[in-house]
Short mmCIF file of all heavy atoms in Angstrom, two decimals:
data_model
loop_
_atom_site.label_atom_id
_atom_site.label_comp_id
_atom_site.label_asym_id
_atom_site.label_seq_id
_atom_site.Cartn_x
_atom_site.Cartn_y
_atom_site.Cartn_z
N MET A 143 13.51 -3.18 -3.44
CA MET A 143 12.11 -3.59 -3.51
C MET A 143 11.33 -3.10 -2.31
O MET A 143 10.13 -2.82 -2.42
CB MET A 143 12.00 -5.13 -3.59
CG MET A 143 12.58 -5.71 -4.85
SD MET A 143 11.89 -4.96 -6.37
CE MET A 143 10.19 -5.50 -6.26
N GLY A 144 12.06 -2.98 -1.14
CA GLY A 144 11.37 -2.46 0.02
C GLY A 144 10.89 -1.00 -0.18
O GLY A 144 9.79 -0.63 0.20
N VAL A 145 11.72 -0.18 -0.88
CA VAL A 145 11.37 1.19 -1.18
C VAL A 145 10.22 1.18 -2.28
O VAL A 145 9.18 1.83 -2.06
CB VAL A 145 12.54 2.02 -1.72
CG1 VAL A 145 12.08 3.45 -2.03
CG2 VAL A 145 13.65 2.05 -0.66
N LEU A 146 10.42 0.52 -3.34
CA LEU A 146 9.50 0.48 -4.45
C LEU A 146 8.08 0.02 -4.05
O LEU A 146 7.07 0.66 -4.33
CB LEU A 146 10.01 -0.35 -5.62
CG LEU A 146 11.10 0.24 -6.48
CD1 LEU A 146 11.57 -0.79 -7.48
CD2 LEU A 146 10.62 1.50 -7.20
N ILE A 147 8.03 -1.09 -3.39
CA ILE A 147 6.77 -1.72 -3.03
C ILE A 147 6.01 -0.86 -2.02
O ILE A 147 4.79 -0.60 -2.15
CB ILE A 147 6.96 -3.17 -2.49
CG1 ILE A 147 7.37 -4.05 -3.63
CG2 ILE A 147 5.71 -3.64 -1.77
CD1 ILE A 147 7.67 -5.51 -3.21
N ASN A 148 6.68 -0.32 -1.03
CA ASN A 148 6.03 0.48 -0.02
C ASN A 148 5.56 1.82 -0.59
O ASN A 148 4.46 2.29 -0.21
CB ASN A 148 6.92 0.67 1.15
CG ASN A 148 6.85 -0.48 2.16
OD1 ASN A 148 5.86 -0.68 2.87
ND2 ASN A 148 7.85 -1.32 2.17
N VAL A 149 6.32 2.43 -1.44
CA VAL A 149 5.86 3.71 -2.09
C VAL A 149 4.64 3.37 -2.95
O VAL A 149 3.69 4.11 -2.95
CB VAL A 149 6.98 4.31 -2.92
CG1 VAL A 149 6.43 5.47 -3.78
CG2 VAL A 149 8.11 4.84 -2.00
N SER A 150 4.73 2.27 -3.71
CA SER A 150 3.58 1.89 -4.55
C SER A 150 2.32 1.64 -3.71
O SER A 150 1.21 2.07 -4.13
CB SER A 150 3.93 0.61 -5.37
OG SER A 150 5.03 0.86 -6.22
N LEU A 151 2.47 0.93 -2.61
CA LEU A 151 1.26 0.61 -1.79
C LEU A 151 0.71 1.90 -1.14
O LEU A 151 -0.51 2.04 -1.04
CB LEU A 151 1.67 -0.38 -0.68
CG LEU A 151 1.80 -1.83 -1.11
CD1 LEU A 151 2.30 -2.66 0.05
CD2 LEU A 151 0.50 -2.38 -1.65
N CYS A 152 1.60 2.81 -0.78
CA CYS A 152 1.14 4.07 -0.19
C CYS A 152 0.33 4.85 -1.23
O CYS A 152 -0.84 5.26 -0.93
CB CYS A 152 2.31 4.94 0.26
SG CYS A 152 1.88 6.57 0.78
N LEU A 153 0.80 5.00 -2.45
CA LEU A 153 0.09 5.73 -3.50
C LEU A 153 -1.17 4.99 -3.87
O LEU A 153 -2.24 5.60 -4.12
CB LEU A 153 0.99 5.98 -4.69
CG LEU A 153 2.22 6.84 -4.40
CD1 LEU A 153 3.11 6.91 -5.69
CD2 LEU A 153 1.80 8.24 -3.99
N PHE A 154 -1.10 3.69 -4.07
CA PHE A 154 -2.21 2.84 -4.48
C PHE A 154 -3.37 3.01 -3.53
O PHE A 154 -4.53 3.18 -3.96
CB PHE A 154 -1.74 1.39 -4.52
CG PHE A 154 -2.81 0.41 -4.90
CD1 PHE A 154 -3.18 0.26 -6.24
CD2 PHE A 154 -3.44 -0.39 -3.94
CE1 PHE A 154 -4.18 -0.67 -6.58
CE2 PHE A 154 -4.41 -1.30 -4.28
CZ PHE A 154 -4.81 -1.42 -5.60
N ASN A 155 -3.13 2.99 -2.19
CA ASN A 155 -4.18 3.11 -1.20
C ASN A 155 -4.74 4.51 -1.12
O ASN A 155 -5.81 4.70 -0.52
CB ASN A 155 -3.67 2.63 0.16
CG ASN A 155 -3.71 1.12 0.32
OD1 ASN A 155 -4.78 0.53 0.54
ND2 ASN A 155 -2.57 0.48 0.14
#
Side-chain angles (χ1 to χ4, degrees):
M143 295 308 294
V145 179
L146 283 175
I147 288 175
N148 277 286
V149 170
S150 298
L151 285 175
C152 175
L153 296 176
F154 178 78
N155 277 282

